[in-house]
């Protein structure tokens, strides 16, 4: 396991004693997804929108936001960061 390595960015949400994570990379063409003050998410490049649980609501994104595996270890959030193929309905890791 690597520590303190910059791999990408993720949105994190506390979920009880755990944490949920989504990649900030839009599944459509790879633009960065913003968090909205209303709790949902939006990709400003082509106006894909996602609900607070990362599910696709509107726009050209072919799927929901990509979830990332997480765990909390001694108060530290660990995220298994991955990159996924863009522009496809199926979530498929790249590399």
């Amino acid at each position: 396991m690597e520590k303190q390595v910059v791999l990408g960015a993720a949105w994190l949400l506390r979920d009880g004693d755990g944490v949920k994570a989504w990649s900030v990379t839009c599944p459509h063409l790879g633009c960065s997804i913003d968090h909205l003050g209303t709790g949902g998410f939006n990709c400003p490049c082509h106006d894909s929108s996602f609900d607070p649980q990362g599910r696709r609501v509107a726009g050209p994104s072919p799927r929901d936001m990509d979830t990332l595996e997480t765990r909390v270890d001694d108060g530290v959030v660990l995220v298994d960061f991955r990159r996924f193929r863009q522009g496809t309905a199926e979530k498929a890791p790249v590399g």
Side-chain angles (χ1 to χ4, degrees):
M1 175 192 304
E2 298 292 325
K3 292 185 178 183
Q4 312 259 332
V5 176
V6 178
L7 297 173
W11 286 110
L12 303 178
L13 175 69
R14 183 179 294 211
D15 184 33
D17 291 336
V19 176
K20 290 183 181 179
W22 298 273
S23 172
V24 301
T25 304
C26 184
H28 178 228
L29 292 176
C31 294
S32 185
I33 296 173
D34 296 329
H35 184 263
L36 302 173
T38 57
F41 300 90
N42 179 264
C43 180
C45 293
H46 301 103
D47 210 24
S48 287
S49 59
F50 307 88
D51 72 11
Q53 296 301 313
R55 293 180 295 244
R56 182 187 167 280
V57 175
S61 179
R63 63 179 182 270
D64 297 343
M65 290 173 66
D66 294 320
T67 56
L68 301 169
E69 296 295 319
T70 64
R71 76 176 197 272
V72 179
D73 186 12
D74 197 24
V76 176
V77 177
L78 302 171
V79 179
D80 185 9
F81 188 84
R82 309 258 176 186
R83 297 187 191 284
F84 300 95
R85 189 168 318 282
Q86 298 163 5
T88 63
E90 181 181 329
K91 177 182 167 185
V94 174

